Amino acid sequence: MEIYETIFRFLYNILSVYVGYRTIELFLVSKKVQWEKKFCLYFIVWLINSLLYVFSTGIVVVRISIIIGYLCFAFILYEGSWKMKILATVGAFALGLLSEDVVWIFSNLIGKPIEEEAMGCLCSGIFALLLLLLLERLKVFTKRASIPASGCWNLILLFLGSVFLAEIVTERMESYEWTMISLELICMINLGTYHIYHKVVENYEERIEKAEILQENRMYLKQLEILQQSRQNIRILRHDLKNHLQLISSYLEKGEYEKAADYIESIEELQSVKGEYVKTGNVAVDSILNYKLEVIEKQTGCKPQLQIDIPCESMISEADLNIVLGNLLDNAGEALQKSDEKHLDIRLKYERGILYLSIYNSFDGVVYKSSNSKFKTRKRDDVKHGYGLQSVERVVKKYSGIMRITHDEHLFCVDLYFYV
């Protein structure tokens, strides 16, 4: 066996095992395992499978070894039931078989059957990466605003360009040695680029998660301050209650009813807590609304109109509630800053299994839409922004709900219905 072909098989197997490893990750949740242990396990699986592959022990033995390797990944590195781990292993193995079959069928359909084994392996490996990329993007897309599509398209162009380049190399290059070296480089470039992309996605998700946690902490801290202030006001009222009652009684005895009413109203004002817009008993709703509405009032001077009628228990998860209210109120606040009119109306009501939310805000009448009639951000950096309504829409679909957006020249309206 040529030395260059042996090197290619070892390098290609890095790509093949890597695809299986990442596919298993789509099904399962990673354990907290040191990266050194992960690397050692990956290296052992790769080495054993590569040696069996290189020394031609038979395709059945090679495939049994990779299945055992995937099972080791699933049971050692990931959490979950044994059924899910077996399913993940089958999925990883099936993705490899599917990519090989599709490449072989497609090459025959276009009248260019792949004769070189190295070329066939490379094409199937790149196609497996493409499938993995699409599956990973779908998984991230269903969770939250995913990394911008431009990165995904760049990888797809790289994969397609690599196949085209590999075809040129195998047909035009006369030296077999240089052909194999070129295919090895193409294989490693694709693997390295995809791995870097995956790390960027992980970093992007971590940044989003940290930002969400930080905002949640701020909201709960704000709610804690409101509760502490409310308790302090109650203590003061209890301490001065006797004096208040004596003065009110004096007004009533003298027939000065207006003064008594004014004094009672002044006591109520003393009990009001700055920054408390709602007090539903639902901690998640109170925290989000009190925090966001205080920010909006400080930035725009707009005092919101509220109609809230919900039970203390959350009808949807706190994470989904944060996504919906957070994004819509952020958008409303930005719109109010650009508008001469300052109007914000929020309604939240639960009745007979339906949670209804509406947020109506004034805006300057400027709306950007994409070719598919989706609303676009007005910010210059549309790579980092413009995903708020998409995130809200995904949450609404999760609860089989309805999302309706309307607007005129002065008012932007969002109506949501969740079936819970």
Side-chain angles (χ1 to χ4, degrees), residues 41 48 80 92 128 150 156-157 174 180 225 241 246 281 311 321 333 377:
L41 180 60
I48 293 174
S150 56
I156 292 174
L157 289 175
E174 296 180 359
M180 294 304 300
E225 291 174 357
L241 184 59
Q246 286 178 348
L321 198 62
T377 182

Side-chain angles (χ1 to χ4, degrees), residues 130-350:
L130 178 60
L131 291 177
L132 181 60
L133 172 68
L134 297 177
L135 290 172
E136 283 190 335
R137 182 163 179 83
L138 179 63
K139 180 184 177 182
V140 173
F141 186 81
T142 56
K143 291 194 299 183
R144 55 168 67 93
S146 56
I147 198 166
S150 56
C152 182
W153 282 111
N154 288 336
L155 269 184
I156 292 174
L157 289 175
L158 172 66
F159 294 157
L160 297 177
S162 297
V163 173
F164 182 72
L165 180 61
E167 178 68 18
I168 294 175
V169 166
T170 53
E171 287 189 358
R172 302 294 178 86
M173 196 170 285
E174 296 180 359
S175 171
Y176 176 77
E177 291 80 4
W178 282 108
T179 299
M180 294 304 300
I181 291 173
S182 300
L183 294 180
E184 291 161 6
L185 289 173
I186 293 171
C187 179
M188 289 297 98
I189 288 172
N190 279 269
L191 175 59
T193 305
Y194 182 86
H195 183 67
I196 292 171
Y197 171 83
H198 192 274
K199 289 300 179 184
V200 170
V201 172
E202 286 183 344
N203 182 59
Y204 184 80
E205 289 184 331
E206 286 177 4
R207 286 173 57 190
I208 291 176
E209 187 175 349
K210 287 179 181 178
E212 290 175 349
I213 292 172
L214 180 60
Q215 181 170 267
E216 286 177 6
N217 289 339
R218 287 174 178 171
M219 289 188 296
Y220 285 117
L221 180 61
K222 176 63 182 176
Q223 191 63 20
L224 180 60
E225 291 174 357
I226 291 172
L227 291 173
Q228 289 174 341
Q229 183 61 47
S230 180
R231 288 179 180 176
Q232 181 67 18
N233 290 346
I234 291 172
R235 292 192 191 102
I236 294 172
L237 178 62
R238 285 177 178 174
H239 181 269
D240 298 334
L241 184 59
K242 183 178 179 180
N243 296 329
H244 290 314
L245 291 176
Q246 286 178 348
L247 185 55
I248 293 170
S249 178
S250 176
Y251 283 138
L252 293 175
E253 287 176 359
K254 295 177 182 179
E256 297 177 341
Y257 301 114
E258 288 189 12
K259 286 186 177 181
D262 292 340
Y263 189 76
I264 292 171
E265 187 176 342
S266 68
I267 295 175
E268 291 178 351
E269 290 178 358
L270 288 174
Q271 293 307 302
S272 63
V273 180
K274 185 179 179 182
E276 186 176 37
Y277 296 86
V278 295
K279 191 176 181 180
T280 66
N282 186 311
V283 178
V285 172
D286 291 348
S287 301
I288 297 169
L289 288 179
N290 286 326
Y291 175 77
K292 290 290 184 180
L293 294 179
E294 184 182 38
V295 173
I296 289 174
E297 185 170 355
K298 285 181 179 178
Q299 293 178 343
T300 67
C302 176
K303 293 187 177 181
Q305 303 296 318
L306 299 167
Q307 294 183 34
I308 311 294
D309 183 14
I310 58 172
C312 295
E313 300 81 14
S314 294
M315 298 296 101
I316 64 178
S317 72
E318 292 185 3
D320 292 336
L321 198 62
N322 191 21
I323 290 172
V324 172
L325 287 174
N327 281 297
L328 292 182
L329 290 174
D330 285 343
N331 291 346
E334 292 170 7
L336 286 167
Q337 292 183 51
K338 298 181 177 71
S339 174
D340 295 330
E341 298 180 14
K342 306 297 180 184
H343 173 76
L344 176 59
D345 182 89
I346 300 171
R347 299 182 185 184
L348 184 60
K349 183 177 182 180
Y350 174 76

Side-chain angles (χ1 to χ4, degrees), residues 142-143 314-325 350 353-356 391-403 416-420:
T142 56
K143 291 194 299 183
S314 294
M315 298 296 101
I316 64 178
S317 72
E318 292 185 3
D320 292 336
L321 198 62
N322 191 21
I323 290 172
V324 172
L325 287 174
Y350 174 76
I354 299 176
L355 181 65
Y356 169 70
S391 298
V392 173
E393 188 175 8
R394 280 193 288 274
V395 174
V396 173
K397 288 181 178 179
K398 178 180 176 180
Y399 295 90
S400 303
I402 299 172
M403 178 175 179
L416 305 179
Y417 298 86
F418 300 89
Y419 296 97
V420 293

Side-chain angles (χ1 to χ4, degrees), residues 36-196:
E36 293 89 347
K37 293 182 179 179
K38 288 184 179 181
F39 178 80
C40 288
L41 180 60
Y42 182 91
F43 179 79
I44 292 171
V45 172
W46 165 77
L47 182 62
I48 293 174
N49 189 255
S50 298
L51 291 174
L52 293 174
Y53 183 42
V54 167
F55 290 105
S56 302
T57 56
I59 190 64
V60 174
V61 176
V62 172
R63 287 184 170 172
I64 290 175
S65 74
I66 198 63
I67 290 174
I68 294 173
Y70 289 163
L71 284 171
C72 291
F73 287 153
F75 280 88
I76 296 175
L77 302 180
Y78 297 93
E79 297 177 349
S81 65
W82 65 270
K83 292 180 181 179
M84 281 301 299
K85 290 178 179 180
I86 291 177
L87 178 63
T89 301
V90 172
F93 183 69
L95 184 69
L97 289 181
L98 177 64
S99 61
E100 292 177 6
D101 291 342
V102 169
V103 167
W104 183 81
I105 293 171
F106 181 75
S107 64
N108 281 275
L109 285 176
I110 63 175
K112 286 189 174 183
I114 298 175
E115 298 178 356
E116 293 288 338
E117 181 185 0
M119 180 63 180
C121 290
L122 180 62
C123 289
S124 63
I126 291 175
F127 185 70
L129 278 178
L130 178 60
L131 291 177
L132 181 60
L133 172 68
L134 297 177
L135 290 172
E136 283 190 335
R137 182 163 179 83
L138 179 63
K139 180 184 177 182
V140 173
F141 186 81
T142 56
K143 291 194 299 183
R144 55 168 67 93
S146 56
I147 198 166
S150 56
C152 182
W153 282 111
N154 288 336
L155 269 184
I156 292 174
L157 289 175
L158 172 66
F159 294 157
L160 297 177
S162 297
V163 173
F164 182 72
L165 180 61
E167 178 68 18
I168 294 175
V169 166
T170 53
E171 287 189 358
R172 302 294 178 86
M173 196 170 285
E174 296 180 359
S175 171
Y176 176 77
E177 291 80 4
W178 282 108
T179 299
M180 294 304 300
I181 291 173
S182 300
L183 294 180
E184 291 161 6
L185 289 173
I186 293 171
C187 179
M188 289 297 98
I189 288 172
N190 279 269
L191 175 59
T193 305
Y194 182 86
H195 183 67
I196 292 171

